[in-house]
Amino acid sequence: MAHRILNTSLLAPAAAFAALVGFAAAPAQAAVWSSSEQWGNYTTSDGYILYNNIWGSGAGAQTIWANSSSDWGVWANHPNTGGIKSYPNAKKVIGKAINSLSSLRSGYNVTVPAAGAYNSSYDIWDKDYKYEVMLWVNYNGAVGPLGSSQGTATLGGHTWNVYKGNNGNNEVFSFLRTSDSTAGTVDILPILKWIKDTKGWWGNVTIGDVQFGYEITSSAGGLDFRTNSFSVNGS
């Protein structure tokens, strides 16, 4: 479960340390934008929002950089301890009810480290933030989904292990790809309709954010996560 709301409160000590140290780890190329701030964010010319989003306790240094919505990355140095530290991501706001959508698709291409504990995932929200759909396309290390197993489903061009839970604030539906993928296309709308029509876990909700990024638990020593391409198309 990744933190969602832009927070302008004072930085915790670890995040303040990130602001001081992480910037030095920005990519060698001169990116259009970079930030080591806990809640650093940037809106691209095509309407995507990049968000550093260091939200978990015990976090270390993290720097996000971007040339565009489809060319961005993160350097993170979070300690080898349990608990999610951050979810740096890019998001597109949809603003349509499920029954009003004729299509919702996304493509991704990432380069991720062999070490660390993390997942590369979509985080999809209704506009009221009552429901969360996570699509893990790859994951590594000691990470796992919230809730109980609901079996396996083949949807949107992929086969997933499905979990359902509640984090105390919202319902969470997690789909973990049965094999790791670093590039592909996801047909998101059939997944949303399966949750609504087949399982009855929600109604005709309005889809708000479609986010994609890296939910990082640990990346000790400093690891690079790179988004080589990313797009969301809905109509």
Side-chain angles (χ1 to χ4, degrees), residues 4-233:
R4 297 304 143 251
I5 301 171
L6 292 176
N7 188 327
T8 57
S9 60
L10 292 175
L11 296 178
F17 177 75
L20 292 172
V21 177
F23 190 82
Q29 75 271 27
V32 171
W33 170 78
S34 66
S35 177
S36 301
E37 295 180 5
Q38 185 175 13
W39 312 114
N41 61 94
Y42 169 73
T43 301
T44 66
S45 59
D46 52 354
Y48 291 78
I49 300 172
L50 279 293
Y51 187 19
N52 205 24
N53 196 16
I54 306 168
W55 68 268
S57 61
Q62 179 174 294
T63 298
I64 188 171
W65 59 269
N67 291 308
S68 68
S69 59
S70 59
D71 179 16
W72 64 275
V74 173
W75 176 89
N77 185 7
H78 298 302
N80 187 21
T81 55
I84 300 163
K85 309 301 189 303
S86 66
Y87 180 62
N89 67 84
K91 80 171 182 180
K92 184 77 173 286
V93 178
I94 302 302
K96 286 189 175 184
I98 293 172
N99 288 353
S100 298
L101 285 166
S102 58
S103 176
L104 183 59
R105 298 175 63 86
S106 180
Y108 62 91
N109 183 305
V110 301
T111 301
V112 291
Y118 63 87
N119 63 68
S120 303
S121 57
Y122 289 87
D123 210 5
I124 302 163
W125 290 86
D126 72 302
K127 71 178 181 63
D128 296 321
Y129 297 98
K130 294 180 178 178
Y131 301 98
E132 177 181 14
V133 180
M134 295 204 75
L135 312 177
W136 294 23
V137 296
N138 63 64
Y139 45 100
N140 190 71
V143 295
L146 180 71
S148 59
S149 174
Q150 304 294 311
T152 302
T154 298
L155 298 161
H158 305 263
T159 300
W160 316 90
N161 293 317
V162 184
Y163 296 81
K164 181 177 183 289
N166 187 297
N167 61 26
N169 296 307
N170 54 268
E171 298 291 324
V172 183
F173 314 131
S174 298
F175 294 72
L176 278 62
R177 200 175 187 278
T178 54
S179 61
D180 284 341
S181 169
T182 56
T185 301
V186 181
D187 192 356
I188 296 173
L189 187 56
I191 299 172
L192 306 182
K193 288 186 172 181
W194 182 83
I195 294 170
K196 173 181 170 288
D197 298 329
T198 302
K199 306 304 288 186
W201 292 341
W202 62 11
N204 184 32
V205 301
T206 297
I207 300 303
D209 302 347
V210 175
Q211 307 171 1
F212 180 81
Y214 309 97
E215 194 171 53
I216 306 171
T217 293
S218 66
S219 53
L223 298 175
D224 286 300
F225 302 78
R226 176 156 190 158
T227 305
N228 305 306
S229 66
F230 168 64
S231 63
V232 177
N233 296 290

